[in-house]
C-alpha cells in the first residue's frame, strides 16, 4: 500500500533566505572568505618553505619535510582542527586560544585563530608537493647557468626559480583555494560563527531544515563559482603573458638577469 508523501517546503522563507540575507549571515559569509584567504596564504608560504626543505641536500631538512607530509596528509583535517584547538591547551596546561585574542586594536575569536592555523598547517602539506612539482618543471639549465655564474642558492631560488614557478602552480593553487572555501565549514565544530555555523543557528531557531541548508549550499556554490571565474581570468592573463615570450628570449633574459644578480651578490 502506497502512502501519500507531502513535501513541506516553505518557498517564501527559502527565497528570503537567499535573496534577502540577514546581516549576521553576510557577516558569516565575510568571515568564511577571510578565514579561507588567510589559511591559504599561510599554507602557501609554509608549503614553499617545506618544498625547499624537501629538495635540500641536507638529510635532516628532507626528513622533516617527509615527516610533516606524512602527519598532515595522513590524518583528517577535522582531527587536526580538534587536536589543535582542544588538545594543545590541555597538553600545555593553559588556554592557548581564549575566547577573544587581541593584537593592538584588533580583536578576534581564539577559535578562529586556531582554525586558521589548523587549515594553514594542513594546506602546507599539499602546497609543498605542488610547489616541488612546479620547481622541477623549470628548465634545469637555468640552475646550472646560475651556479656557473657563482649565484648563491638562496638568491637563485628567490629571484630566478620561484618567480617562474608561480605561473606553473597557479592552477593547482586556485583549486586548493576553492577547496579551502568549503573546508571552512568545519569551523562550525569549534563554534566559529562562519556561514555554516550561522545557518545551523538559524535552522535551530526556525526548524526550516531543508530551506536553510539548501540556501547555504547556494551561497557556497556562488562562492566557488565566483572564484572559478576569477581563476580562469587570471590563468588566461598569465597564459597570454607567458605565450608572448619566446623560449629563446626567455632564456636570454633569464641569463642576463642571472649575470646581473650574480654581480650584485
Amino acid at each position: 500500500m502506497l502512502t501519500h508523501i507531502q513535501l513541506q517546503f516553505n518557498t517564501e522563507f527559502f527565497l528570503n533566505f537567499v535573496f534577502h540575507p540577514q546581516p549576521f549571515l553576510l557577516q558569516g559569509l565575510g568571515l568564511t572568505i577571510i578565514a579561507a584567504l588567510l589559511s591559504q596564504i599561510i599554507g602557501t608560504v609554509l608549503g614553499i618553505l617545506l618544498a625547499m626543505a624537501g629538495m635540500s641536500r641536507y638529510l635532516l631538512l628532507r626528513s622533516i619535510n617527509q615527516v610533516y607530509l606524512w602527519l598532515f596528509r595522513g590524518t583528517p583535517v577535522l582531527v587536526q582542527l580538534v587536536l589543535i584547538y582542544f588538545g594543545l591547551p590541555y597538553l600545555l596546561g593553559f588556554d592557548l586560544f581564549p575566547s577573544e585574542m587581541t593584537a593592538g586594536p584588533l580583536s578576534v575569536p581564539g577559535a578562529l585563530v586556531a582554525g586558521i592555523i589548523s587549515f594553514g598547517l594542513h594546506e602546507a602539506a599539499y602546497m609543498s608537493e605542488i610547489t616541488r612539482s612546479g620547481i622541477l618543471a623549470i628548465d634545469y639549465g637555468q640552475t646550472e647557468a646560475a651556479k656557473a655564474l657563482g649565484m648563491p642558492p638562496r638568491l637563485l631560488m628567490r629571484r630566478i626559480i620561484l618567480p617562474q614557478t608561480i605561473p606553473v602552480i597557479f592552477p593547482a593553487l586556485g583549486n586548493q583555494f576553492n577547496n579551502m572555501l568549503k573546508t571552512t565549514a568545519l569551523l562550525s565544530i569549534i563554534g566559529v560563527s562562519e556561514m555554516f555555523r550561522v545557518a545551523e543557528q538559524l535552522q535551530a531557531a526556525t526548524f526550516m531544515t531543508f530551506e536553510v541548508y539548501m540556501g547555504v549550499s547556494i551561497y557556497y556554490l556562488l562562492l566557488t563559482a565566483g572564484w572559478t571565474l576569477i581563476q580562469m581570468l587570471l590563468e588566461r592573463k598569465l597564459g597570454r603573458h607567458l605565450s608572448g615570450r619566446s623560449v629563446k628570449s626567455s632564456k636570454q633574459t633569464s641569463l642576463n638577469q642571472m649575470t646581473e644578480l650574480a654581480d650584485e651578490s
Side-chain angles (χ1 to χ4, degrees):
M1 181 178 180
L2 297 176
T3 58
H4 179 67
I5 300 177
Q6 182 179 359
L7 296 178
Q8 298 181 356
F9 183 81
N10 192 323
T11 305
E12 182 180 359
F13 180 89
F14 174 75
L15 293 177
N16 284 332
F17 181 89
V18 173
F19 294 105
H20 303 284
Q22 298 295 323
F24 54 83
L25 181 62
L26 294 178
Q27 292 175 1
L29 173 63
L31 194 60
T32 292
I33 297 174
I34 292 173
L37 183 60
L38 293 178
S39 299
Q40 189 63 51
I41 291 174
I42 293 174
T44 301
V45 173
L46 184 55
I48 292 174
L49 296 177
L50 285 169
M52 291 189 290
M55 301 177 69
S56 172
R57 65 184 182 203
Y58 298 109
L59 177 60
L60 177 61
L61 292 178
R62 296 199 307 270
S63 300
I64 291 174
N65 174 73
Q66 290 302 314
V67 171
Y68 188 97
L69 297 184
W70 175 65
L71 286 175
F72 282 90
R73 297 184 68 168
T75 54
V77 62
L78 177 58
V79 174
Q80 297 165 18
L81 174 63
V82 173
L83 185 62
I84 288 175
Y85 182 62
F86 294 109
L88 275 183
Y90 171 79
L91 179 66
L92 298 176
F94 66 94
D95 192 0
L96 190 61
F97 303 105
S99 57
E100 291 293 331
M101 301 182 68
T102 57
L106 185 64
S107 178
V108 295
L112 176 61
V113 175
I116 291 174
I117 292 174
S118 301
F119 295 157
L121 293 175
H122 180 82
E123 183 64 23
Y126 292 89
M127 287 305 304
S128 172
E129 289 299 281
I130 291 172
T131 304
R132 185 180 67 85
S133 300
I135 291 175
L136 293 177
I138 304 302
D139 183 12
Y140 188 70
Q142 298 187 42
T143 301
E144 292 179 330
K147 290 180 178 179
L149 292 170
M151 181 179 294
R154 292 183 180 178
L155 188 60
L156 165 67
M157 184 63 65
R158 187 175 72 251
R159 301 294 296 274
I160 302 299
I161 302 300
L162 285 181
Q164 297 181 76
T165 302
I166 299 301
V168 175
I169 69 173
F170 185 79
L173 173 61
N175 292 337
Q176 289 298 114
F177 181 66
N178 206 335
N179 291 331
M180 184 64 72
L181 287 169
K182 296 172 286 187
T183 303
T184 54
L186 295 177
L187 290 173
S188 61
I189 301 296
I190 58 175
V192 177
S193 295
E194 46 72 55
M195 187 164 57
F196 186 73
R197 175 68 173 176
V198 171
E200 284 184 320
Q201 294 171 339
L202 184 60
Q203 184 275 331
T206 62
F207 298 101
M208 298 290 182
T209 304
F210 189 83
E211 293 87 345
V212 169
Y213 291 138
M214 178 59 75
V216 79
S217 298
I218 290 177
Y219 276 101
Y220 279 112
L221 286 171
L222 291 175
L223 272 180
T224 54
W227 169 247
T228 300
L229 179 60
I230 294 173
Q231 181 182 347
M232 290 173 57
L233 294 175
L234 291 176
E235 288 180 11
R236 189 175 303 172
K237 185 175 181 179
L238 285 173
R240 287 199 300 264
H241 174 70
L242 294 177
S243 62
R245 300 168 58 187
S246 64
V247 175
K248 182 177 179 179
S249 63
S250 177
K251 289 185 177 180
Q252 185 62 41
T253 301
S254 298
L255 184 59
N256 292 338
Q257 291 176 344
M258 290 177 190
T259 304
E260 293 174 1
L261 292 172
D263 292 339
E264 293 176 2
S265 62

